[in-house]
Every structure is written in C-alpha cells, then in structure tokens.
Amino acid sequence: MEVDFVVVGAGTAGCLLANRLSARGSVALIEAGGNDRYPWIHIPVGYLYCIGNPRTDWCLRTRPEPGLGGRSLLYPRGKVLGGCSAINGMLYLRGQAADYDGWRQMGCTGWGWDDVLPHFRRHEDHADGADAMHGAGGEWRVERQRLRWDILDAFRDAAVAAGIPAVEDFNRGDNEGVGYFRVNQRAGFRWTTAKAFLRPVSGRPGLAVITGALAERILFDGARATGVRYRQGGELREVRARSEVVLAAGAIGSPQLLQLSGIGPAAHLRALGIEVRRDAAVGENLQDHLQLRCVFRVQAARTLNTLAGSLWGKARIGLEYALFRSGPMSMAPSQLGAFARSSPDVATPDLEFHVQPLSLDAFGQPLHEFPAITASVCHLRPESRGHVRITAPDPAAAPEIAPNYLSTPGDRIVAARAIRLARRIMAQAPMARYRPEEFRPGAAAEDDADLAAAAGRIGTTIFHPVGTCRMGADDAAVVDPALRLRGVERLRVADASVMPTITSGNTNAPTLMIAEKGAAMILAGGTAGA
C-alpha cells in the first residue's frame, strides 16, 4: 500500500490526525489494538472493566520503583480504537497558560498559550457554548457531569474555608480553585476520539484504518522515512508514505517504535543487537503525575461504598442510569477537583486534587465496607525524570517503564505538603458533621520524612506519562518545534511524548491540542507557527 501519510497509533492523537490529514490526502492509520465495540468502553463507569483488561488495555507495568518501596505499578495504555480516550477518566483539563508559555520560553516557538488556544477551541464542542476561551460545534464534546454528592459539596466548601476559591471552569488559563470537573461525555455516554474523529469520516475515500496491526519498524531510504512495516494476523506487511510518517503511539509506544527502528540511546540499542541509525535521547525525560490517595472514614454520609454495598443499592444505580443516563454509572473516576499551591512561594497551583465519594485499597480491589471519601492529590510539576527503554528487539516485548517517582528532595517535600493540605481541608468546619477520620496514610505520620515515606507507600500513577520524545530548540531535543524528528526527513511525532514538561493537569486535552496543531503544521508545509 502507498498513501500520502502513514499515522501510527489510533489513540487520542492518531484519530484526530487521521481526520485532518485525510481531508487533504490519503492516510493509512495503523492500530495494534482492535475495534471499540466492547460495551464497557461506552458506559462511563466501565473504566473499571477496561483498565487491566487485555481486551482494552496493554496491561503494562512499571519496573519496581525505589521511591515507592519497590512496588511495581499497573500502567494502563489503551488497546482499542480511541486509545486511552476509551479507558481514561474522561476529564477535560487543558492545564495552565504558564505551562505553554514556559514551553515557548524554552525555545518551542509557536507553543505559547496564545498560540495553542485556537487549536484547543477548533475541535471543542462545549455544552455551555462558545466564548473567548471555548469552542462549540467541534468534534470533541465537553459536558457537565450528571450527578452530585452532598459529601463532595461539603469538601468543596471545606476547600474554600481553607483558602482555595470556588470556580466554575478550570480551563481558562488559570485553574486555581475548587469545583466539579467537566467531562468528555455525550448524553451520559463516554465520548472517545474514535467516535469524535474517525466515525464521521469512515467513508472518506483515501482513509484506511488498519486494526490488529503491530508496527515493527519504520522504513528508511537513507535519512528519509518512507513507511512502516507492521505485523497483522501473523503476516508482515508494509505501507509506504509519499509525504510523511507521523507517530502518534503515545509516550510509551512512540519511543518504543523509534528505538526498535534504531533511533535512541546508542549504547542501549547496541547492547540489544539493534543497528543504530541515530543516537538520540528517545525514551528519556519520562514525566508522570503520582497521586497520593488520602482516605478518610466518614459518618452519616452517602458514599458509593455504602450505596453499592447492597443488592438494592446496585439495582438503584443501574435503574437510574437506564432511565436517565445519570448517577454513579455515569460517573467519571473523579468528580470534584481542586487546584492549589503547596506553598505561598509557588507562582501557580502545583497540586491537583481528585476527590471521590468512595475508597478502596487499590484500583481493581473491592470498595471498603465503611463509608469513606478519597482526597487523591498529585504534584503537577514533578522534578523526577524517568525513561522508557525497549528490553528486546522483539516488538511484542513490553518496554521497561521507569518513572523514578519521588526521586528528588523537592518532590518528597511537595508530597509531604500535599498530605498536610488534604488534612487541613478535611479539618474545616463544613466537614465536621461527617466526623472524618484519617484512614490512609494514617495520622501517625507527621514530619516531612515520615510523610514522604507514607507518600511512597500510598502513591500510584494517575496515568499521565509524557515527555519521552522531547520537543525543543536545542540539539539534544528529539523533535523540533515543528515536531520533526531531528536528523531524519519526513518523520514526525505528534502525541504526549513531545511535551518538554508535563502540563499542570490531566493530559488528554493537551494531547489532542498537540495533534491538532501538528496536523496544521504538516498541512502548512511544516512551519512551527501554524
């Protein structure tokens, strides 16, 4: 097969890229996973049955993490059309204007807040309508949640009492405040990038969507990328690109394919017997948000623990969703959010709370039998840096994922401050009627060292890996500000892996923006200012 553009990965970025590029030329979209007809993808609470399920998740794991007491974490990555947008938390969060202005100041021309805002707005369909910050009529639906909880309202009021202002919208450049998250849903169903960007153009001439196709190598003619070799149904196949090859396989998949193709840390590739095409920092600079799941027992409160603890409660949940598409089955994993500063000397919020009216020991474990609330908090701008490295020349072999959580003194200090802030909010008057009692990490941890150690015991990923194909103006950057791979012609990366630093919030919406801007640059001939 020969097409104008080959796009690898039909996830959050790849579906949008295929939509935009196929409007101007022929596109082959290669996806290693399968179709998205699994029913639990589309019911919001179905993430419980998709994460850790080999039907929809690659079921990757981190290496044992020293900062987490040697624990290895489940590291979900979407394995269907729509990628992680089919299994994620559905939260629409752009980050802060300062994130993107910081990219521009690092030399990434064309990536400041004013530059990227039009690309956020272009594909947005905000239920509250268009204004200077939001778009309407685009493909990517953004709605208010279809439920509320008294105990979450009380947490919101307690956060306000602790000095965090109440806000309606986290997506106007300054996200400081507390309020309910907006979600990527339509009428109570999950909205994925496959639904938004692929289905409307499924009959478009020149667009080929190839599923069950594991990309094994990028093909080259000298220093020029010419296509991709992939395996489908046990057979090796090739697709050639007349114009460009675009990688959109995410912060794990894109560096993995580049390293398999000989582009990466030379010594590591040689040790695996892979011929080095270009020595590059591919797979380095991994950043992720570590969430600290602070759990508090409560009394006289309606929580999901108690509601789902009986057959009648479960029946009521199912009936409410069947009749109204509302209630707990329409629930994103986190409903209430708060962005706050860990210290007065922090310029913009560096903590994010994901608050849930439930508790459990770990993802996939049963809910606790007692009523409880979880105030999960993560450090938005971690100093720790990790890596993604292939472990064998076999494309089917899982790579080594090493986030290096809590590996710097600064990250450990912020972790201690985050737990203290969670405690301070729970101690405010609006929570008093629920008589909260700290269950995890436990009130015995008080000084910085004890709290940092506790953070290592309760910390887990919130599934935001970025940065492994870093964009920059310096020679050490993997891609330039036009997303072109340095030292290689006609090859770009347009997904979360290009972020030079992680955004101050959830990463799905920024990834869509990167794909939108990337497509515009490709169609404009490659200029970073597109």
Side-chain angles (χ1 to χ4, degrees):
M1 182 188 297
E2 185 174 88
V3 293
D4 295 317
F5 303 100
V6 176
V7 178
V8 180
T12 294
C15 288
L16 186 149
L17 285 161
N19 178 297
R20 301 293 187 251
L21 297 179
S22 64
R24 297 272 292 275
S26 55
V27 173
L29 178 61
I30 301 172
E31 168 56 42
N35 63 61
D36 63 348
R37 291 195 289 269
Y38 185 56
W40 282 116
I41 290 173
H42 309 289
I43 299 171
V45 80
Y47 69 90
L48 290 169
Y49 307 102
C50 292
I51 292 176
N53 180 347
R55 166 70 175 80
T56 50
D57 180 5
W58 287 104
C59 299
L60 301 175
R61 301 195 69 88
T62 69
R63 73 170 186 188
E65 281 288 296
L68 304 185
R71 289 184 293 129
S72 171
L73 302 181
L74 178 68
Y75 219 67
R77 298 285 88 195
K79 192 183 176 184
V80 295
L81 292 174
C84 290
S85 77
I87 67 171
N88 70 1
M90 296 166 281
L91 303 185
Y92 183 77
L93 292 158
R94 296 170 174 173
Q96 299 167 4
D99 298 331
Y100 305 100
D101 290 343
W103 293 3
R104 182 177 57 198
Q105 291 160 15
M106 294 167 64
C108 296
T109 304
W111 290 91
W113 173 250
D114 291 340
D115 302 310
V116 303
L117 181 57
H119 297 287
F120 279 114
R121 294 182 73 251
R122 179 180 177 187
H123 54 254
E124 189 178 13
D125 184 22
H126 201 286
D128 294 344
D131 62 17
M133 291 291 167
H134 289 290
E139 298 94 341
W140 195 234
R141 183 68 172 172
V142 180
E143 294 187 349
R144 294 174 181 266
Q145 295 186 65
R146 302 167 71 86
L147 77 169
R148 55 167 294 279
W149 298 80
D150 288 341
I151 196 163
L152 295 188
D153 291 348
F155 185 96
R156 178 195 58 205
D157 296 342
V160 171
I164 302 170
V167 295
E168 275 291 309
D169 187 356
F170 290 127
N171 292 297
R172 306 187 77 83
D174 176 6
N175 58 11
E176 187 166 12
V178 58
Y180 280 87
F181 291 120
R182 299 294 189 269
V183 292
N184 296 124
Q185 294 180 8
R186 184 179 288 278
F189 290 101
R190 175 190 288 272
W191 197 240
T192 73
T193 56
K195 293 179 182 178
F197 298 102
L198 280 189
R199 287 187 185 176
V201 298
S202 60
R204 182 178 282 172
L207 174 60
V209 180
I210 307 168
T211 57
L214 180 64
E216 295 201 345
R217 297 286 187 280
I218 302 167
L219 304 174
F220 296 94
D221 180 2
R224 184 177 64 185
T226 59
V228 172
R229 177 177 300 150
Y230 63 92
R231 186 176 297 274
Q232 184 186 44
E235 294 186 10
L236 278 177
R237 304 172 187 269
E238 293 182 359
V239 57
R240 300 281 174 167
R242 287 186 287 266
S243 183
E244 295 194 33
V245 175
V246 186
L247 303 190
I252 308 302
S254 287
Q256 181 181 17
L257 181 58
L258 287 169
Q259 290 176 18
L260 288 167
S261 305
I263 301 173
H268 181 68
L269 299 185
R270 289 193 186 102
L272 294 175
I274 295 174
E275 180 182 353
V276 178
R277 179 169 294 277
R278 185 169 185 274
D279 184 11
V282 170
E284 304 303 306
N285 192 48
L286 174 63
Q287 299 158 58
D288 190 14
H289 289 144
L290 180 73
Q291 64 171 333
L292 310 179
R293 295 182 59 82
C294 301
V295 176
F296 296 84
R297 289 176 178 258
V298 292
Q299 297 184 32
R302 178 177 175 266
T303 72
L304 193 61
N305 290 15
T306 50
L307 189 61
S310 67
L311 289 175
W312 165 245
K314 291 176 181 175
R316 179 180 172 182
I317 289 170
L319 186 62
E320 182 177 1
Y321 186 76
L323 294 177
F324 306 112
R325 295 291 180 263
S326 63
M329 286 189 70
S330 73
M331 206 165 77
S334 300
Q335 300 83 53
L336 187 78
F339 291 85
R341 303 167 196 249
S342 65
S343 167
D345 59 2
V346 176
T348 62
D350 63 338
L351 298 178
E352 180 184 5
F353 283 86
H354 293 78
V355 191
Q356 305 125 18
L358 56 87
S359 67
L360 36 73
D361 287 334
F363 187 86
Q365 297 297 310
L367 295 172
H368 291 143
E369 294 182 356
F370 51 83
I373 182 173
T374 299
S376 177
V377 57
C378 63
H379 182 192
L380 290 172
R381 295 187 290 278
E383 298 172 352
S384 299
R385 297 291 185 269
H387 65 255
V388 173
R389 293 175 188 158
I390 58 173
T391 56
D394 179 5
E400 178 183 74
I401 303 170
N404 282 335
Y405 299 118
L406 299 175
S407 61
T408 72
D411 283 356
R412 293 191 289 274
I413 289 171
V414 173
R417 291 172 176 171
I419 294 171
R420 286 198 182 98
L421 179 56
R423 289 172 170 175
R424 185 155 64 89
I425 294 170
M426 296 299 289
Q428 299 300 312
M431 288 299 301
R433 69 182 184 272
Y434 297 115
R435 288 181 281 177
E437 177 186 352
E438 186 172 330
F439 181 70
R440 285 205 172 85
E446 292 186 357
D447 63 24
D448 283 354
D450 287 344
L451 287 171
R457 291 193 296 271
I458 65 173
T460 187
T461 177
I462 203 163
F463 320 132
H464 296 163
V466 308
T468 48
C469 296
R470 178 177 68 87
M471 171 175 57
D474 57 292
D475 291 340
V478 175
V479 300
D480 68 14
L483 307 184
R484 297 172 294 210
L485 201 87
R486 293 186 179 278
V488 181
E489 300 173 21
R490 303 200 327 186
L491 177 60
R492 299 197 207 215
V493 184
D495 57 29
S497 71
V498 307
M499 294 187 194
T501 54
I502 195 166
T503 52
S504 300
N506 304 56
T507 52
N508 187 257
T511 300
L512 272 177
M513 178 278 294
I514 289 168
E516 188 78 81
K517 183 171 171 62
M521 290 190 292
I522 292 168
L523 295 175
T527 60

